[in-house]
Amino acid sequence: MTSTDVKQPEDTRTAGPRPLSWWIKLPIALIVLVGLLFAGSKLDLIPGLGGLFGTETKDRTGPTLLQSIQDLDRYEAASGNFQVVVDLEKDTKYLPDAIKGSRTLYVGAGTVGSYVDFSKIGDKSVQVNKDRTTATISLPHAQLGKPAMDPDRSYAVSKERGLLDRLGDVFSDNPGDEHAVNQLAAKHIADAAKDSELASRAEKNTTSMLQGLLHSLGFTKVTVVYN
């Protein structure tokens, strides 16, 4: 009697992936749930859920206090609107811009007023003839006021910051501060106002105003001199 080898059938099953443990499934499920809720609130996929993640703005500002009142002895005769594109770049020695450095492209808009100071007008500044038909008025030259920046028309176009600057913004109370570029924009606007015809326009308007006022009082000839 001879023994024969019995060939066992081969197991064709392959080992599948091991099931995840419950302590791995739970965080994944929570992340997916929060993501679905957030997407639903943004896309209005779930009715009534938009208010759950909505933001609410509350104005808790206290009362505004009047600190002082000043009498203005000047005539605001003209005003100019200005706009400048500020390109401010800050580099650090021996470090590439990707590590340390920043560049901000900022559009600054503001107004500059021009006025004539009437506070220094004395008795000798106004000369009138005996018939009160001719008057000569001596005034100081027009001056320029400080630029008044308009936050509604000023904005940052782009900001490029290095890695260290971005990390610094994380721990900063005022990340992405635009105070420096806003001041620089105000300086450029002030310089542009000096080079413009704003002051001469203010003197021209002041002359027209005084001539119209004195003509209504019976003067036939009114001369305004700026010195």
Side-chain angles (χ1 to χ4, degrees):
M1 183 175 180
T2 62
S3 59
T4 60
D5 295 335
V6 179
K7 188 177 182 181
Q8 299 292 333
E10 295 183 356
D11 190 359
T12 59
R13 292 178 301 173
T14 59
R18 299 179 60 184
L20 297 177
S21 303
W22 65 270
W23 58 273
I24 299 179
K25 293 180 179 180
L26 182 59
I28 296 177
L30 292 177
I31 293 174
V32 173
L33 179 61
V34 172
L36 290 176
L37 291 177
F38 181 77
S41 63
K42 291 295 183 181
L43 302 177
D44 294 333
L45 298 178
I46 305 178
L49 190 61
L52 179 62
F53 294 95
T55 59
E56 182 180 1
T57 303
K58 295 182 179 180
D59 187 1
R60 302 185 184 276
T61 307
T64 304
L65 302 178
L66 176 62
Q67 294 184 339
S68 64
I69 296 179
Q70 296 178 347
D71 295 329
L72 299 179
D73 296 326
R74 63 189 190 184
Y75 176 63
E76 295 284 346
S79 178
N81 295 317
F82 297 87
Q83 187 180 72
V84 62
V85 179
V86 177
D87 189 354
L88 181 61
E89 184 176 2
K90 296 182 180 180
D91 296 327
T92 303
K93 292 184 178 180
Y94 312 116
L95 287 178
D97 294 339
I99 301 298
K100 179 65 177 177
S102 64
R103 184 177 181 180
T104 304
L105 197 64
Y106 182 81
V107 176
T111 59
V112 178
S114 183
Y115 63 92
V116 177
D117 189 2
F118 286 169
S119 63
K120 298 181 180 179
I121 297 178
D123 296 336
K124 297 181 179 181
S125 300
V126 181
Q127 298 179 2
V128 181
N129 65 346
K130 294 181 179 180
D131 298 334
R132 297 184 62 83
T133 57
T134 302
T136 301
I137 305 175
S138 298
L139 298 175
H141 283 288
Q143 303 179 40
L144 298 177
K146 294 182 179 180
M149 302 303 295
D150 188 353
D152 294 332
R153 296 189 296 126
S154 303
Y155 56 93
V157 178
S158 63
K159 294 181 180 180
E160 299 177 1
R161 293 168 295 168
L163 178 61
L164 296 180
D165 296 278
R166 293 179 180 274
L167 293 176
D169 289 343
V170 175
F171 301 98
S172 174
D173 294 334
N174 190 14
D177 185 18
E178 297 177 355
H179 182 67
V181 288
N182 190 69
Q183 280 190 327
L184 189 57
K187 180 181 180 301
H188 285 294
I189 288 178
D191 294 338
K194 294 178 182 178
D195 297 333
S196 69
E197 59 178 11
L198 189 58
S200 61
R201 177 69 66 87
E203 293 180 358
K204 181 180 179 180
N205 294 340
T206 303
T207 300
S208 299
M209 183 272 295
L210 292 176
Q211 288 177 343
L213 177 62
L214 294 181
H215 285 162
S216 66
L217 297 176
F219 289 87
T220 58
K221 183 179 180 181
V222 179
T223 304
V224 181
V225 179
Y226 296 91
N227 50 39

